Amino acid sequence: MDKLVIEGGVSLNGPIRVSGSKNAALPILLACILPEGPVCLHNVPRLRDIHTTLKLLDILGCETSFEGNTVCSEVKDLKIEAPYDLVKTMRASVLCLGPLLALKGEAKVALPGGCAIGARPVDLHLTAFEQMGATFDLDSGYIHGKCDKLKGAHIHFDFPTVGGTENVLMAASFAEGETIIENAAREPEVVDLANFLIACGAKISGHGTSIITVQGVPSLKGSNYKVMPDRIEAGTYMVAAAMTDGELLIQDCPFQELESVVYKLRKMGVSLEEEEGGVRVRRANGLLSGVDITTQPYPGFPTDMQAQLMTLMCLANGAGTIEEKIFENRFMHVQELVRMGANIKLKGRTAMIRGVERMTGAPVMASDLRASASLVVAGLAAEGRTDVQRIYHLDRGYEKLEDKLSAVGAKVWREKE
Ligand code: EPZ
């Protein structure tokens, strides 16, 4: 296994470009099952999860290619089974359920296990599909779904589930009649998926709001589409600039989609200014103050930025709190940050952070994607050397991170553990 080694204490300076969004590319890649004819997606990041998704598409009978950041895919002979060996490495594979039920009237998808941050059930997905006419049984760890022809339905999610909204959106594009999704997720990545489906001929309105309406169509046509930039990668660089007291020009930054993060960073004393070539980020006057954060569904503060903001608050003047309301176990980075000198106390799903003068480098263990990003950012600012182990977690969601950070002055390299 690899680890990332960081010699901290260097201020980052210069331009840094954001790659395409992992969480937009994953559902859009699986939506490529739906249209007839070839599809080409641009700005697709070269990440572990993307390669895993392409492997799934191959297993499902698609012909795919991945040159640079362009993926082309065409369905040849569609299969209906997503195997456990693959699904266990990436739970987003469950997003093939909607397209397969819509196209084949049957799907066998391994029930995705939980992960470090929570149980991650898919009950809301299944309940919605049952309303559209599907029946399911659980057979040796596989969800086996069947339906004649999916029918449009009036669906109301108990929770605005991102994956659930995406799964139903894909299925509804093909279902007979109209589907209304109430309490739909409003995340930008859901909007990007809807825009891709519309580019292929789907009839969708209300995406980006809590009520999405879909008129099923008999077929979709392959198209070209550019995936949106990754707002969480962009937010991570904003934190890295402030953490190291440097100045970064973040290029291809989805600034509007980061409003709740920008609001909190500005309250902490970070300056973020949009200009011609991107967003310029630095500390406004050297000092940072603590803030209170509660993670919420979009447009609230994103849970995927929680670990990174916690890291920044470790060096702020004063105290702040973070309440994690989306996932039940998303504080795995806390003890690792404490090993680097942070002062963080946990009480249930709330963390109380008291800023400290400095953090010191240490060997630390990554546990999930965003926790690993927060440990890298902490290592950039800490005095001395930090070894972030199990860096495969990071490779799921950050394209060429060490190259991008080195290009703006960081002393970071990869080593065998
Ligand atoms: C997506 O996960 C993202 N993943 C996550 O990003 C992100 O943290 C999450 O949305 C919230 O924004 C991808 O897009 C691939 P949810 P998803 O369904 O779809 C509960 C990252 O770091 N729930 O909105 O799984 C669930 O347990 C990853 O890039 C049910 O109870 O999120 C959780 O508590 C991590 N039943 C909450 O809803 C269900 O059927 C949010 O889940 C579905 C979800």
Side-chain angles (χ1 to χ4, degrees):
M1 281 197 260
D2 285 358
K3 65 182 177 182
L4 216 52
V5 180
I6 303 151
E7 281 298 343
V10 176
S11 297
L12 303 186
N13 274 284
I16 189 164
R17 183 171 297 281
V18 177
S19 297
S21 163
K22 166 181 88 80
N23 289 351
L26 293 184
I28 291 173
L29 279 168
L30 289 165
C32 289
I33 295 174
L34 288 164
E36 291 158 7
V39 179
C40 273
L41 301 179
H42 305 287
N43 201 31
V44 179
R46 299 194 74 88
L47 301 170
R48 254 179 85 224
D49 278 5
I50 298 294
H51 292 294
T52 305
T53 307
L54 289 173
K55 223 184 284 171
L56 175 56
L57 287 177
D58 292 345
I59 291 170
L60 291 175
C62 300
E63 199 167 82
T64 62
S65 66
F66 195 6
E67 310 284 327
N69 291 104
T70 295
V71 166
C72 289
S73 171
E74 184 167 6
V75 177
K76 290 300 174 195
D77 168 20
L78 197 55
K79 310 277 188 315
I80 61 151
E81 181 166 334
Y84 175 64
D85 281 355
L86 191 134
V87 174
K88 74 183 177 191
T89 65
M90 188 190 66
R91 50 180 320 289
S93 314
V94 74
L95 292 173
C96 71
L97 205 50
L100 290 177
L101 287 172
L103 278 174
K104 303 287 280 184
E106 190 177 4
K108 267 189 90 172
V109 180
L111 191 61
C115 68
I117 63 177
R120 311 289 296 272
V122 290
D123 54 311
L124 299 178
H125 302 228
L126 303 183
T127 309
F129 289 134
E130 283 165 345
Q131 272 189 262
M132 298 174 79
T135 55
F136 295 95
D137 55 287
L138 187 56
D139 169 22
S140 10
Y142 279 75
I143 310 167
H144 190 183
K146 283 189 177 164
C147 62
D148 296 333
K149 169 83 178 145
L150 283 182
K151 300 218 176 355
H154 191 149
I155 287 152
H156 189 287
F157 280 127
D158 293 345
F159 177 87
T161 157
V162 172
T165 304
E166 291 167 343
N167 232 338
V168 171
L169 205 46
M170 291 188 277
S173 303
F174 249 64
E176 244 159 40
E178 178 179 79
T179 297
I180 296 173
I181 308 172
E182 288 212 44
N183 200 20
R186 299 169 53 186
E187 272 70 4
E189 295 75 24
V190 174
V191 174
D192 215 26
L193 169 65
N195 289 334
F196 166 70
L197 291 167
I198 290 166
C200 298
K203 293 197 176 359
I204 300 170
S205 59
H207 40 300
T209 75
S210 304
I211 302 180
I212 302 178
T213 304
V214 188
Q215 303 297 341
V217 293
S219 69
L220 295 176
K221 289 269 163 298
S223 71
N224 273 311
Y225 191 77
K226 183 179 180 197
V227 173
M228 69 173 279
D230 193 311
R231 62 190 169 105
I232 304 302
E233 180 188 2
T236 305
Y237 298 145
M238 291 175 178
V239 168
M243 191 81 187
T244 61
D245 199 3
E247 179 168 317
L248 289 178
L249 180 67
I250 302 175
Q251 301 168 322
D252 271 357
C253 178
F255 198 55
Q256 302 315 321
E257 288 80 0
L258 277 165
E259 215 169 281
S260 58
V261 175
V262 170
Y263 174 76
K264 289 294 182 182
L265 286 172
R266 282 179 171 151
K267 271 192 81 172
M268 289 185 73
V270 180
S271 155
L272 301 110
E273 298 302 329
E274 269 192 302
E275 58 180 69
E276 193 53 34
V279 177
R280 191 167 294 280
V281 186
R282 56 181 171 72
R283 290 187 189 187
N285 60 14
L287 288 179
L288 296 171
S289 48
V291 286
D292 295 328
I293 289 173
T294 300
T295 62
Q296 303 277 1
Y298 194 89
F301 189 90
T303 174
D304 290 352
M305 278 299 300
Q306 178 256 105
Q308 299 90 314
L309 257 288
M310 183 186 288
T311 302
L312 187 58
M313 283 162 59
C314 291
L315 291 183
N317 273 22
T321 61
I322 294 185
E323 188 186 9
E324 172 52 67
K325 291 189 79 170
I326 305 293
F327 291 108
E328 62 269 30
N329 186 34
R330 202 169 197 175
F331 284 143
M332 311 277 276
H333 42 285
V334 168
Q335 296 318 322
E336 300 305 302
L337 291 171
V338 167
R339 299 186 58 247
M340 297 176 73
N343 179 346
I344 308 171
K345 298 270 181 301
L346 284 182
K347 197 166 166 44
R349 288 170 75 161
T350 298
M352 159 75 89
I353 303 105
R354 285 190 190 290
V356 292
E357 275 292 299
R358 71 184 62 74
M359 295 173 83
T360 50
V364 290
M365 186 85 75
S367 53
D368 58 87
L369 169 54
R370 305 304 170 184
S372 46
S374 73
L375 297 176
V376 171
V377 169
L380 291 170
E383 286 174 2
R385 172 171 160 149
T386 297
D387 290 22
V388 184
Q389 298 169 8
R390 299 191 181 171
I391 211 63
Y392 61 84
H393 289 291
L394 195 78
D395 295 338
R396 300 189 60 168
Y398 289 87
E399 183 181 48
K400 301 198 196 96
L401 186 63
E402 64 260 39
D403 300 348
K404 292 187 181 182
L405 292 176
S406 306
V408 287
K411 293 197 190 102
V412 54
W413 63 93
R414 198 172 278 253
E415 277 185 14
K416 285 282 165 246
E417 259 178 29

